Amino acid sequence: AQSVTQLGSHVSVSEGALVLLRCNYSSSVPPYLFWYVQYPNQGLQLLLKYTSAATLVKGINGFEAEFKKSETSFHLTKPSAHMSDAAEYFCAVSDLSGTYKYIFGTGTRLKVLA
Amino acid sequence: EAGVAQSPRYKIIEKRQSVAFWCNPISGHATLYWYQQILGQGPKLLIQFQNNGVVDDSQLPKDRFSAERLKGVDSTLKIQPAKLEDSAVYLCASSLALAVPTDTQYFGPGTRLTVL
């Protein structure tokens, strides 16, 4: 069965600093991975997804993630944080056991300091 | 393109009462999902429909939760009777394809349920 683990339930960065949100996966087969962002009182919005076409995936709002099989990781990064990036971020893996539902991590709340 | 619509946005009920949530997916999307998001946790799938058939309801507490997808479009999720631990945000999502692991799921704004 597939699963994801997000290290750090809360991350704080200064405006303009590097954003690094960690996600490690567990899967016996090549996984399909997603990063979603959730702003307060809103639904989830897709930032990017890994579909095995390229290991470095670029998403919206300047975010990108790199799939590293050797480290079983899919960390989300952004070179320079903006105040508007403050939100909760979820990593998810597609369940390949049959129905392709998403299995989500517990989320990381990003705080951006002025 | 209109997104996934959900109503109501907020609901407060007392335990043992019943409640229903409504979801209208993106037009043409074959697959519809209901997730439960408890505070501090990631969303957890409750039920997944492909067109109007259920493909996964393994985590749906069937003694109190029920869901249907009428004519393969709109869906309702019902809780009867509600318990305190049902307090959560209920998210509806839809995706275009049938059984594609890389397909993007589009989420609605959610319904925040508080059970007193």
Side-chain angles (χ1 to χ4, degrees), chain A residues 32 34 36 38 41-44 46 49-51 88 90 94 96 98-102 104-107, chain B residues 9-10 35 37 40-43 45 48 55-56 58-59 91 99-105 107-109 112:
Chain A
Y32 299 111
F34 306 79
Y36 276 80
Q38 186 176 34
N41 298 316
Q42 295 187 27
L44 281 72
L46 180 71
K49 61 181 176 181
Y50 170 71
T51 61
E88 189 147 24
F90 292 94
S94 183
L96 301 179
T99 62
Y100 306 130
K101 67 188 177 198
Y102 286 178
F104 283 91
T106 51
Chain B
R9 291 295 312 276
Y10 304 91
Y35 289 88
Q37 185 179 17
Q41 299 180 19
L45 182 75
Q48 177 180 346
V55 295
D56 188 339
S58 57
Q59 298 189 89
L91 295 165
V100 175
T102 58
D103 203 22
T104 297
Q105 293 184 26
F107 285 79
R112 182 177 298 276

mmCIF file of all heavy atoms in Angstrom, chain A residues 32 34 36 38 41-44 46 49-51 88 90 94 96 98-102 104-107, chain B residues 9-10 35 37 40-43 45 48 55-56 58-59 91 99-105 107-109 112:
data_model
loop_
_atom_site.group_PDB
_atom_site.id
_atom_site.type_symbol
_atom_site.label_atom_id
_atom_site.label_comp_id
_atom_site.label_asym_id
_atom_site.label_seq_id
_atom_site.Cartn_x
_atom_site.Cartn_y
_atom_site.Cartn_z
ATOM 1 N N TYR A 32 2.657 7.848 -8.135
ATOM 2 C CA TYR A 32 2.236 9.118 -8.715
ATOM 3 C C TYR A 32 1.949 10.048 -7.542
ATOM 4 O O TYR A 32 1.156 9.709 -6.659
ATOM 5 C CB TYR A 32 0.996 8.939 -9.579
ATOM 6 C CG TYR A 32 1.233 7.998 -10.734
ATOM 7 C CD1 TYR A 32 0.624 6.747 -10.773
ATOM 8 C CD2 TYR A 32 2.075 8.353 -11.782
ATOM 9 C CE1 TYR A 32 0.847 5.873 -11.823
ATOM 10 C CE2 TYR A 32 2.306 7.484 -12.835
ATOM 11 C CZ TYR A 32 1.693 6.243 -12.851
ATOM 12 O OH TYR A 32 1.926 5.378 -13.890
ATOM 13 N N PHE A 34 1.418 14.091 -5.711
ATOM 14 C CA PHE A 34 0.770 15.379 -5.898
ATOM 15 C C PHE A 34 1.089 16.298 -4.709
ATOM 16 O O PHE A 34 1.258 15.822 -3.582
ATOM 17 C CB PHE A 34 -0.758 15.211 -5.966
ATOM 18 C CG PHE A 34 -1.228 14.216 -6.991
ATOM 19 C CD1 PHE A 34 -1.171 12.855 -6.741
ATOM 20 C CD2 PHE A 34 -1.731 14.649 -8.206
ATOM 21 C CE1 PHE A 34 -1.610 11.931 -7.680
ATOM 22 C CE2 PHE A 34 -2.171 13.735 -9.156
ATOM 23 C CZ PHE A 34 -2.109 12.381 -8.894
ATOM 24 N N TYR A 36 -0.816 19.691 -3.041
ATOM 25 C CA TYR A 36 -1.970 20.576 -3.050
ATOM 26 C C TYR A 36 -1.754 21.671 -1.989
ATOM 27 O O TYR A 36 -1.093 21.453 -0.977
ATOM 28 C CB TYR A 36 -3.248 19.814 -2.709
ATOM 29 C CG TYR A 36 -3.895 19.102 -3.875
ATOM 30 C CD1 TYR A 36 -3.420 17.869 -4.313
ATOM 31 C CD2 TYR A 36 -4.978 19.670 -4.539
ATOM 32 C CE1 TYR A 36 -4.015 17.221 -5.385
ATOM 33 C CE2 TYR A 36 -5.587 19.026 -5.611
ATOM 34 C CZ TYR A 36 -5.100 17.802 -6.029
ATOM 35 O OH TYR A 36 -5.700 17.162 -7.096
ATOM 36 N N GLN A 38 -3.953 24.532 0.430
ATOM 37 C CA GLN A 38 -5.275 24.880 0.952
ATOM 38 C C GLN A 38 -5.174 26.199 1.697
ATOM 39 O O GLN A 38 -4.523 26.290 2.740
ATOM 40 C CB GLN A 38 -5.788 23.776 1.878
ATOM 41 C CG GLN A 38 -7.218 23.984 2.348
ATOM 42 C CD GLN A 38 -7.734 22.824 3.181
ATOM 43 O OE1 GLN A 38 -6.988 22.189 3.934
ATOM 44 N NE2 GLN A 38 -9.018 22.529 3.063
ATOM 45 N N ASN A 41 -10.339 28.389 4.734
ATOM 46 C CA ASN A 41 -11.751 28.307 4.342
ATOM 47 C C ASN A 41 -11.947 28.065 2.847
ATOM 48 O O ASN A 41 -12.972 28.462 2.282
ATOM 49 C CB ASN A 41 -12.503 29.572 4.760
ATOM 50 C CG ASN A 41 -12.489 29.758 6.264
ATOM 51 O OD1 ASN A 41 -12.702 28.804 7.017
ATOM 52 N ND2 ASN A 41 -12.195 30.966 6.706
ATOM 53 N N GLN A 42 -10.975 27.429 2.233
ATOM 54 C CA GLN A 42 -11.092 27.091 0.821
ATOM 55 C C GLN A 42 -10.786 25.607 0.614
ATOM 56 O O GLN A 42 -10.272 24.930 1.500
ATOM 57 C CB GLN A 42 -10.133 27.933 -0.020
ATOM 58 C CG GLN A 42 -10.444 29.422 -0.012
ATOM 59 C CD GLN A 42 -9.578 30.189 -0.990
ATOM 60 O OE1 GLN A 42 -9.117 29.651 -2.000
ATOM 61 N NE2 GLN A 42 -9.347 31.454 -0.693
ATOM 62 N N GLY A 43 -11.124 25.139 -0.565
ATOM 63 C CA GLY A 43 -10.796 23.772 -0.918
ATOM 64 C C GLY A 43 -9.337 23.642 -1.298
ATOM 65 O O GLY A 43 -8.561 24.589 -1.206
ATOM 66 N N LEU A 44 -8.948 22.455 -1.728
ATOM 67 C CA LEU A 44 -7.569 22.196 -2.114
ATOM 68 C C LEU A 44 -7.361 22.537 -3.578
ATOM 69 O O LEU A 44 -8.216 22.254 -4.426
ATOM 70 C CB LEU A 44 -7.215 20.724 -1.876
ATOM 71 C CG LEU A 44 -6.884 20.309 -0.441
ATOM 72 C CD1 LEU A 44 -8.128 20.293 0.423
ATOM 73 C CD2 LEU A 44 -6.208 18.958 -0.426
ATOM 74 N N LEU A 46 -4.506 22.174 -6.777
ATOM 75 C CA LEU A 46 -3.311 21.460 -7.225
ATOM 76 C C LEU A 46 -2.174 22.426 -7.505
ATOM 77 O O LEU A 46 -2.333 23.406 -8.249
ATOM 78 C CB LEU A 46 -3.621 20.653 -8.486
ATOM 79 C CG LEU A 46 -2.446 19.854 -9.053
ATOM 80 C CD1 LEU A 46 -2.118 18.682 -8.135
ATOM 81 C CD2 LEU A 46 -2.748 19.374 -10.459
ATOM 82 N N LYS A 49 2.113 17.903 -10.008
ATOM 83 C CA LYS A 49 2.022 16.461 -9.857
ATOM 84 C C LYS A 49 3.156 15.767 -10.593
ATOM 85 O O LYS A 49 3.645 16.265 -11.616
ATOM 86 C CB LYS A 49 0.675 15.939 -10.353
ATOM 87 C CG LYS A 49 0.372 16.193 -11.825
ATOM 88 C CD LYS A 49 -1.026 15.641 -12.163
ATOM 89 C CE LYS A 49 -1.410 15.951 -13.597
ATOM 90 N NZ LYS A 49 -2.776 15.434 -13.925
ATOM 91 N N TYR A 50 3.584 14.644 -10.054
ATOM 92 C CA TYR A 50 4.614 13.816 -10.658
ATOM 93 C C TYR A 50 3.949 12.617 -11.311
ATOM 94 O O TYR A 50 3.265 11.835 -10.642
ATOM 95 C CB TYR A 50 5.608 13.340 -9.601
ATOM 96 C CG TYR A 50 6.556 12.287 -10.109
ATOM 97 C CD1 TYR A 50 7.560 12.626 -11.017
ATOM 98 C CD2 TYR A 50 6.428 10.959 -9.715
ATOM 99 C CE1 TYR A 50 8.415 11.650 -11.506
ATOM 100 C CE2 TYR A 50 7.274 9.988 -10.208
ATOM 101 C CZ TYR A 50 8.268 10.333 -11.097
ATOM 102 O OH TYR A 50 9.115 9.364 -11.590
ATOM 103 N N THR A 51 4.195 12.500 -12.627
ATOM 104 C CA THR A 51 3.576 11.402 -13.374
ATOM 105 C C THR A 51 4.615 10.540 -14.062
ATOM 106 O O THR A 51 4.294 9.792 -14.978
ATOM 107 C CB THR A 51 2.596 11.961 -14.414
ATOM 108 O OG1 THR A 51 3.334 12.790 -15.335
ATOM 109 C CG2 THR A 51 1.504 12.774 -13.768
ATOM 110 N N GLU A 88 -1.827 25.940 4.051
ATOM 111 C CA GLU A 88 -1.489 24.572 4.415
ATOM 112 C C GLU A 88 -1.222 23.782 3.145
ATOM 113 O O GLU A 88 -1.948 23.919 2.150
ATOM 114 C CB GLU A 88 -2.602 23.919 5.224
ATOM 115 C CG GLU A 88 -2.202 22.563 5.802
ATOM 116 C CD GLU A 88 -2.860 22.280 7.141
ATOM 117 O OE1 GLU A 88 -3.917 22.847 7.422
ATOM 118 O OE2 GLU A 88 -2.296 21.456 7.893
ATOM 119 N N PHE A 90 -0.428 20.016 1.329
ATOM 120 C CA PHE A 90 -0.626 18.575 1.471
ATOM 121 C C PHE A 90 0.063 17.832 0.341
ATOM 122 O O PHE A 90 -0.089 18.182 -0.836
ATOM 123 C CB PHE A 90 -2.113 18.223 1.451
ATOM 124 C CG PHE A 90 -2.877 18.698 2.649
ATOM 125 C CD1 PHE A 90 -3.552 19.905 2.633
ATOM 126 C CD2 PHE A 90 -2.911 17.935 3.810
ATOM 127 C CE1 PHE A 90 -4.263 20.351 3.741
ATOM 128 C CE2 PHE A 90 -3.618 18.371 4.928
ATOM 129 C CZ PHE A 90 -4.280 19.585 4.884
ATOM 130 N N SER A 94 -1.260 8.654 -5.256
ATOM 131 C CA SER A 94 -2.397 7.948 -5.859
ATOM 132 C C SER A 94 -2.340 6.481 -5.460
ATOM 133 O O SER A 94 -1.305 5.824 -5.631
ATOM 134 C CB SER A 94 -2.344 8.100 -7.375
ATOM 135 O OG SER A 94 -3.458 7.487 -7.987
ATOM 136 N N LEU A 96 -2.543 2.917 -5.940
ATOM 137 C CA LEU A 96 -2.484 2.088 -7.140
ATOM 138 C C LEU A 96 -3.092 0.701 -6.928
ATOM 139 O O LEU A 96 -2.963 -0.162 -7.793
ATOM 140 C CB LEU A 96 -1.040 1.969 -7.611
ATOM 141 C CG LEU A 96 -0.353 3.311 -7.934
ATOM 142 C CD1 LEU A 96 1.081 3.090 -8.366
ATOM 143 C CD2 LEU A 96 -1.124 4.064 -9.012
ATOM 144 N N GLY A 98 -6.135 -0.018 -6.964
ATOM 145 C CA GLY A 98 -7.297 -0.276 -7.802
ATOM 146 C C GLY A 98 -8.148 0.928 -8.120
ATOM 147 O O GLY A 98 -8.569 1.109 -9.241
ATOM 148 N N THR A 99 -8.420 1.791 -7.117
ATOM 149 C CA THR A 99 -9.365 2.880 -7.341
ATOM 150 C C THR A 99 -8.691 4.225 -7.598
ATOM 151 O O THR A 99 -9.377 5.173 -7.934
ATOM 152 C CB THR A 99 -10.290 3.023 -6.123
ATOM 153 O OG1 THR A 99 -9.496 3.352 -4.976
ATOM 154 C CG2 THR A 99 -11.040 1.723 -5.863
ATOM 155 N N TYR A 100 -7.385 4.316 -7.394
ATOM 156 C CA TYR A 100 -6.618 5.540 -7.635
ATOM 157 C C TYR A 100 -7.081 6.725 -6.786
ATOM 158 O O TYR A 100 -6.919 7.872 -7.170
ATOM 159 C CB TYR A 100 -6.642 5.922 -9.120
ATOM 160 C CG TYR A 100 -6.197 4.786 -10.011
ATOM 161 C CD1 TYR A 100 -6.957 4.402 -11.094
ATOM 162 C CD2 TYR A 100 -5.034 4.085 -9.733
ATOM 163 C CE1 TYR A 100 -6.562 3.347 -11.908
ATOM 164 C CE2 TYR A 100 -4.627 3.027 -10.538
ATOM 165 C CZ TYR A 100 -5.405 2.665 -11.626
ATOM 166 O OH TYR A 100 -5.016 1.623 -12.427
ATOM 167 N N LYS A 101 -7.644 6.430 -5.621
ATOM 168 C CA LYS A 101 -7.962 7.515 -4.702
ATOM 169 C C LYS A 101 -6.663 8.128 -4.203
ATOM 170 O O LYS A 101 -5.596 7.515 -4.262
ATOM 171 C CB LYS A 101 -8.768 6.974 -3.520
ATOM 172 C CG LYS A 101 -7.979 6.025 -2.627
ATOM 173 C CD LYS A 101 -8.865 5.365 -1.598
ATOM 174 C CE LYS A 101 -8.063 4.383 -0.770
ATOM 175 N NZ LYS A 101 -8.927 3.422 -0.058
ATOM 176 N N TYR A 102 -6.748 9.361 -3.698
ATOM 177 C CA TYR A 102 -5.584 9.993 -3.113
ATOM 178 C C TYR A 102 -5.444 9.563 -1.651
ATOM 179 O O TYR A 102 -6.428 9.470 -0.933
ATOM 180 C CB TYR A 102 -5.724 11.517 -3.118
ATOM 181 C CG TYR A 102 -5.566 12.204 -4.444
ATOM 182 C CD1 TYR A 102 -5.730 13.577 -4.532
ATOM 183 C CD2 TYR A 102 -5.261 11.519 -5.617
ATOM 184 C CE1 TYR A 102 -5.591 14.253 -5.738
ATOM 185 C CE2 TYR A 102 -5.130 12.182 -6.826
ATOM 186 C CZ TYR A 102 -5.292 13.545 -6.879
ATOM 187 O OH TYR A 102 -5.162 14.213 -8.074
ATOM 188 N N PHE A 104 -3.563 11.149 1.485
ATOM 189 C CA PHE A 104 -2.937 12.414 1.843
ATOM 190 C C PHE A 104 -2.034 12.284 3.052
ATOM 191 O O PHE A 104 -2.267 11.451 3.942
ATOM 192 C CB PHE A 104 -4.010 13.468 2.174
ATOM 193 C CG PHE A 104 -4.694 14.049 0.983
ATOM 194 C CD1 PHE A 104 -5.849 13.473 0.478
ATOM 195 C CD2 PHE A 104 -4.194 15.185 0.362
ATOM 196 C CE1 PHE A 104 -6.489 14.007 -0.633
ATOM 197 C CE2 PHE A 104 -4.825 15.732 -0.745
ATOM 198 C CZ PHE A 104 -5.974 15.138 -1.248
ATOM 199 N N GLY A 105 -1.015 13.151 3.096
ATOM 200 C CA GLY A 105 -0.245 13.324 4.309
ATOM 201 C C GLY A 105 -1.022 14.200 5.286
ATOM 202 O O GLY A 105 -2.133 14.657 4.990
ATOM 203 N N THR A 106 -0.412 14.442 6.432
ATOM 204 C CA THR A 106 -1.107 15.193 7.482
ATOM 205 C C THR A 106 -1.010 16.698 7.305
ATOM 206 O O THR A 106 -1.634 17.447 8.049
ATOM 207 C CB THR A 106 -0.542 14.820 8.857
ATOM 208 O OG1 THR A 106 0.878 14.943 8.818
ATOM 209 C CG2 THR A 106 -0.914 13.385 9.224
ATOM 210 N N GLY A 107 -0.242 17.142 6.321
ATOM 211 C CA GLY A 107 -0.193 18.559 6.013
ATOM 212 C C GLY A 107 0.909 19.309 6.733
ATOM 213 O O GLY A 107 1.359 18.925 7.816
ATOM 214 N N ARG B 9 -22.027 25.870 3.213
ATOM 215 C CA ARG B 9 -20.625 26.049 3.561
ATOM 216 C C ARG B 9 -20.367 25.744 5.026
ATOM 217 O O ARG B 9 -19.294 25.269 5.395
ATOM 218 C CB ARG B 9 -20.183 27.476 3.252
ATOM 219 C CG ARG B 9 -20.116 27.815 1.774
ATOM 220 C CD ARG B 9 -19.029 26.990 1.058
ATOM 221 N NE ARG B 9 -17.757 26.985 1.751
ATOM 222 C CZ ARG B 9 -16.837 27.942 1.639
ATOM 223 N NH1 ARG B 9 -17.053 28.979 0.855
ATOM 224 N NH2 ARG B 9 -15.699 27.863 2.313
ATOM 225 N N TYR B 10 -21.356 26.027 5.851
ATOM 226 C CA TYR B 10 -21.224 25.791 7.284
ATOM 227 C C TYR B 10 -22.528 25.188 7.810
ATOM 228 O O TYR B 10 -23.612 25.521 7.337
ATOM 229 C CB TYR B 10 -20.935 27.096 8.031
ATOM 230 C CG TYR B 10 -19.717 27.832 7.528
ATOM 231 C CD1 TYR B 10 -19.835 28.792 6.528
ATOM 232 C CD2 TYR B 10 -18.456 27.554 8.041
ATOM 233 C CE1 TYR B 10 -18.719 29.457 6.054
ATOM 234 C CE2 TYR B 10 -17.328 28.218 7.571
ATOM 235 C CZ TYR B 10 -17.470 29.168 6.582
ATOM 236 O OH TYR B 10 -16.370 29.825 6.114
ATOM 237 N N TYR B 35 -14.481 13.465 0.765
ATOM 238 C CA TYR B 35 -13.425 13.319 1.756
ATOM 239 C C TYR B 35 -13.878 13.935 3.069
ATOM 240 O O TYR B 35 -14.614 14.913 3.100
ATOM 241 C CB TYR B 35 -12.154 14.049 1.319
ATOM 242 C CG TYR B 35 -11.407 13.428 0.162
ATOM 243 C CD1 TYR B 35 -11.716 13.755 -1.153
ATOM 244 C CD2 TYR B 35 -10.356 12.534 0.383
ATOM 245 C CE1 TYR B 35 -11.009 13.206 -2.218
ATOM 246 C CE2 TYR B 35 -9.642 11.980 -0.669
ATOM 247 C CZ TYR B 35 -9.980 12.326 -1.967
ATOM 248 O OH TYR B 35 -9.269 11.773 -3.009
ATOM 249 N N GLN B 37 -12.182 15.783 6.336
ATOM 250 C CA GLN B 37 -10.939 16.379 6.829
ATOM 251 C C GLN B 37 -11.141 16.842 8.265
ATOM 252 O O GLN B 37 -11.765 17.879 8.514
ATOM 253 C CB GLN B 37 -10.498 17.547 5.942
ATOM 254 C CG GLN B 37 -9.151 18.125 6.348
ATOM 255 C CD GLN B 37 -8.697 19.263 5.447
ATOM 256 O OE1 GLN B 37 -9.485 19.850 4.714
ATOM 257 N NE2 GLN B 37 -7.416 19.572 5.493
ATOM 258 N N GLY B 40 -6.447 19.359 11.689
ATOM 259 C CA GLY B 40 -5.084 18.910 11.933
ATOM 260 C C GLY B 40 -4.685 17.658 11.173
ATOM 261 O O GLY B 40 -3.569 17.164 11.341
ATOM 262 N N GLN B 41 -5.591 17.156 10.327
ATOM 263 C CA GLN B 41 -5.292 15.946 9.560
ATOM 264 C C GLN B 41 -5.482 16.200 8.072
ATOM 265 O O GLN B 41 -6.112 17.177 7.665
ATOM 266 C CB GLN B 41 -6.205 14.802 10.010
ATOM 267 C CG GLN B 41 -6.055 14.411 11.473
ATOM 268 C CD GLN B 41 -6.971 13.272 11.856
ATOM 269 O OE1 GLN B 41 -7.464 12.528 10.999
ATOM 270 N NE2 GLN B 41 -7.200 13.114 13.155
ATOM 271 N N GLY B 42 -4.947 15.293 7.277
ATOM 272 C CA GLY B 42 -5.189 15.366 5.843
ATOM 273 C C GLY B 42 -6.549 14.786 5.504
ATOM 274 O O GLY B 42 -7.138 14.038 6.297
ATOM 275 N N PRO B 43 -7.075 15.122 4.349
ATOM 276 C CA PRO B 43 -8.372 14.565 3.938
ATOM 277 C C PRO B 43 -8.315 13.042 3.835
ATOM 278 O O PRO B 43 -7.306 12.479 3.403
ATOM 279 C CB PRO B 43 -8.605 15.195 2.561
ATOM 280 C CG PRO B 43 -7.760 16.435 2.551
ATOM 281 C CD PRO B 43 -6.557 16.084 3.369
ATOM 282 N N LEU B 45 -10.543 9.745 2.304
ATOM 283 C CA LEU B 45 -11.642 9.391 1.405
ATOM 284 C C LEU B 45 -12.738 8.647 2.153
ATOM 285 O O LEU B 45 -12.482 7.680 2.856
ATOM 286 C CB LEU B 45 -11.135 8.524 0.256
ATOM 287 C CG LEU B 45 -12.215 8.138 -0.757
ATOM 288 C CD1 LEU B 45 -12.562 9.331 -1.641
ATOM 289 C CD2 LEU B 45 -11.774 6.950 -1.600
ATOM 290 N N GLN B 48 -16.138 6.988 -3.165
ATOM 291 C CA GLN B 48 -15.772 7.361 -4.524
ATOM 292 C C GLN B 48 -16.786 6.773 -5.496
ATOM 293 O O GLN B 48 -17.108 5.581 -5.425
ATOM 294 C CB GLN B 48 -14.368 6.839 -4.847
ATOM 295 C CG GLN B 48 -13.889 7.103 -6.260
ATOM 296 C CD GLN B 48 -12.484 6.558 -6.499
ATOM 297 O OE1 GLN B 48 -11.775 6.218 -5.561
ATOM 298 N NE2 GLN B 48 -12.085 6.480 -7.751
ATOM 299 N N VAL B 55 -17.363 2.855 -6.275
ATOM 300 C CA VAL B 55 -16.182 2.020 -6.505
ATOM 301 C C VAL B 55 -15.353 1.824 -5.237
ATOM 302 O O VAL B 55 -14.533 0.915 -5.174
ATOM 303 C CB VAL B 55 -15.292 2.566 -7.631
ATOM 304 C CG1 VAL B 55 -16.035 2.519 -8.953
ATOM 305 C CG2 VAL B 55 -14.818 3.978 -7.352
ATOM 306 N N ASP B 56 -15.542 2.708 -4.242
ATOM 307 C CA ASP B 56 -14.804 2.556 -2.990
ATOM 308 C C ASP B 56 -15.580 3.240 -1.882
ATOM 309 O O ASP B 56 -15.771 4.454 -1.931
ATOM 310 C CB ASP B 56 -13.396 3.156 -3.105
ATOM 311 C CG ASP B 56 -12.519 2.844 -1.892
ATOM 312 O OD1 ASP B 56 -13.049 2.532 -0.808
ATOM 313 O OD2 ASP B 56 -11.279 2.912 -2.035
ATOM 314 N N SER B 58 -14.932 1.876 1.395
ATOM 315 C CA SER B 58 -14.356 1.067 2.462
ATOM 316 C C SER B 58 -14.174 1.825 3.774
ATOM 317 O O SER B 58 -14.122 1.223 4.844
ATOM 318 C CB SER B 58 -13.007 0.494 2.020
ATOM 319 O OG SER B 58 -12.119 1.534 1.649
ATOM 320 N N GLN B 59 -14.067 3.156 3.719
ATOM 321 C CA GLN B 59 -13.872 3.935 4.934
ATOM 322 C C GLN B 59 -15.118 4.741 5.300
ATOM 323 O O GLN B 59 -15.031 5.647 6.132
ATOM 324 C CB GLN B 59 -12.644 4.852 4.788
ATOM 325 C CG GLN B 59 -11.352 4.053 4.584
ATOM 326 C CD GLN B 59 -10.120 4.930 4.650
ATOM 327 O OE1 GLN B 59 -9.551 5.153 5.714
ATOM 328 N NE2 GLN B 59 -9.695 5.433 3.502
ATOM 329 N N LEU B 91 -15.215 17.547 2.151
ATOM 330 C CA LEU B 91 -14.772 18.027 0.845
ATOM 331 C C LEU B 91 -15.295 17.120 -0.261
ATOM 332 O O LEU B 91 -15.220 15.902 -0.157
ATOM 333 C CB LEU B 91 -13.245 18.048 0.777
ATOM 334 C CG LEU B 91 -12.521 19.015 1.710
ATOM 335 C CD1 LEU B 91 -11.046 18.659 1.796
ATOM 336 C CD2 LEU B 91 -12.686 20.448 1.238
ATOM 337 N N ALA B 99 -10.663 5.852 -13.762
ATOM 338 C CA ALA B 99 -9.560 4.943 -13.446
ATOM 339 C C ALA B 99 -8.243 5.357 -14.090
ATOM 340 O O ALA B 99 -7.592 4.555 -14.774
ATOM 341 C CB ALA B 99 -9.925 3.522 -13.853
ATOM 342 N N VAL B 100 -7.851 6.606 -13.888
ATOM 343 C CA VAL B 100 -6.541 7.074 -14.349
ATOM 344 C C VAL B 100 -5.784 7.582 -13.140
ATOM 345 O O VAL B 100 -6.207 8.563 -12.518
ATOM 346 C CB VAL B 100 -6.676 8.196 -15.406
ATOM 347 C CG1 VAL B 100 -5.312 8.744 -15.765
ATOM 348 C CG2 VAL B 100 -7.407 7.675 -16.632
ATOM 349 N N PRO B 101 -4.659 6.981 -12.774
ATOM 350 C CA PRO B 101 -3.989 7.342 -11.511
ATOM 351 C C PRO B 101 -3.379 8.729 -11.496
ATOM 352 O O PRO B 101 -3.122 9.262 -10.419
ATOM 353 C CB PRO B 101 -2.912 6.258 -11.374
ATOM 354 C CG PRO B 101 -2.678 5.770 -12.750
ATOM 355 C CD PRO B 101 -3.997 5.868 -13.458
ATOM 356 N N THR B 102 -3.141 9.304 -12.658
ATOM 357 C CA THR B 102 -2.522 10.632 -12.694
ATOM 358 C C THR B 102 -3.543 11.749 -12.878
ATOM 359 O O THR B 102 -3.176 12.913 -13.003
ATOM 360 C CB THR B 102 -1.499 10.701 -13.832
ATOM 361 O OG1 THR B 102 -2.171 10.405 -15.070
ATOM 362 C CG2 THR B 102 -0.377 9.700 -13.631
ATOM 363 N N ASP B 103 -4.807 11.393 -12.906
ATOM 364 C CA ASP B 103 -5.831 12.392 -13.158
ATOM 365 C C ASP B 103 -5.927 13.365 -11.994
ATOM 366 O O ASP B 103 -5.893 12.968 -10.828
ATOM 367 C CB ASP B 103 -7.174 11.693 -13.372
ATOM 368 C CG ASP B 103 -8.145 12.537 -14.153
ATOM 369 O OD1 ASP B 103 -7.702 13.458 -14.873
ATOM 370 O OD2 ASP B 103 -9.359 12.286 -14.066
ATOM 371 N N THR B 104 -6.067 14.639 -12.294
ATOM 372 C CA THR B 104 -6.164 15.671 -11.265
ATOM 373 C C THR B 104 -7.554 15.665 -10.650
ATOM 374 O O THR B 104 -8.552 15.587 -11.363
ATOM 375 C CB THR B 104 -5.873 17.044 -11.868
ATOM 376 O OG1 THR B 104 -4.526 17.061 -12.357
ATOM 377 C CG2 THR B 104 -6.048 18.146 -10.824
ATOM 378 N N GLN B 105 -7.584 15.767 -9.347
ATOM 379 C CA GLN B 105 -8.855 15.928 -8.644
ATOM 380 C C GLN B 105 -9.049 17.412 -8.341
ATOM 381 O O GLN B 105 -8.128 18.083 -7.877
ATOM 382 C CB GLN B 105 -8.864 15.112 -7.350
ATOM 383 C CG GLN B 105 -8.841 13.615 -7.586
ATOM 384 C CD GLN B 105 -8.946 12.818 -6.305
ATOM 385 O OE1 GLN B 105 -9.483 13.277 -5.295
ATOM 386 N NE2 GLN B 105 -8.426 11.601 -6.326
ATOM 387 N N PHE B 107 -11.179 20.181 -6.200
ATOM 388 C CA PHE B 107 -11.899 20.198 -4.936
ATOM 389 C C PHE B 107 -12.844 21.394 -4.830
ATOM 390 O O PHE B 107 -12.536 22.500 -5.292
ATOM 391 C CB PHE B 107 -10.921 20.246 -3.765
ATOM 392 C CG PHE B 107 -10.234 18.944 -3.511
ATOM 393 C CD1 PHE B 107 -9.164 18.540 -4.292
ATOM 394 C CD2 PHE B 107 -10.663 18.108 -2.494
ATOM 395 C CE1 PHE B 107 -8.533 17.324 -4.068
ATOM 396 C CE2 PHE B 107 -10.041 16.893 -2.253
ATOM 397 C CZ PHE B 107 -8.967 16.498 -3.043
ATOM 398 N N GLY B 108 -13.961 21.154 -4.163
ATOM 399 C CA GLY B 108 -14.857 22.234 -3.803
ATOM 400 C C GLY B 108 -14.384 22.917 -2.533
ATOM 401 O O GLY B 108 -13.390 22.486 -1.922
ATOM 402 N N PRO B 109 -15.094 23.961 -2.093
ATOM 403 C CA PRO B 109 -14.670 24.725 -0.921
ATOM 404 C C PRO B 109 -14.916 24.010 0.402
ATOM 405 O O PRO B 109 -14.375 24.406 1.428
ATOM 406 C CB PRO B 109 -15.500 26.004 -1.007
ATOM 407 C CG PRO B 109 -16.722 25.574 -1.752
ATOM 408 C CD PRO B 109 -16.270 24.557 -2.727
ATOM 409 N N ARG B 112 -18.097 22.909 6.420
ATOM 410 C CA ARG B 112 -17.587 22.744 7.783
ATOM 411 C C ARG B 112 -18.744 22.366 8.692
ATOM 412 O O ARG B 112 -19.674 23.150 8.884
ATOM 413 C CB ARG B 112 -16.928 24.027 8.271
ATOM 414 C CG ARG B 112 -16.325 23.901 9.677
ATOM 415 C CD ARG B 112 -15.610 25.184 10.091
ATOM 416 N NE ARG B 112 -14.507 25.487 9.203
ATOM 417 C CZ ARG B 112 -13.285 24.985 9.303
ATOM 418 N NH1 ARG B 112 -13.017 24.140 10.292
ATOM 419 N NH2 ARG B 112 -12.340 25.334 8.474
#
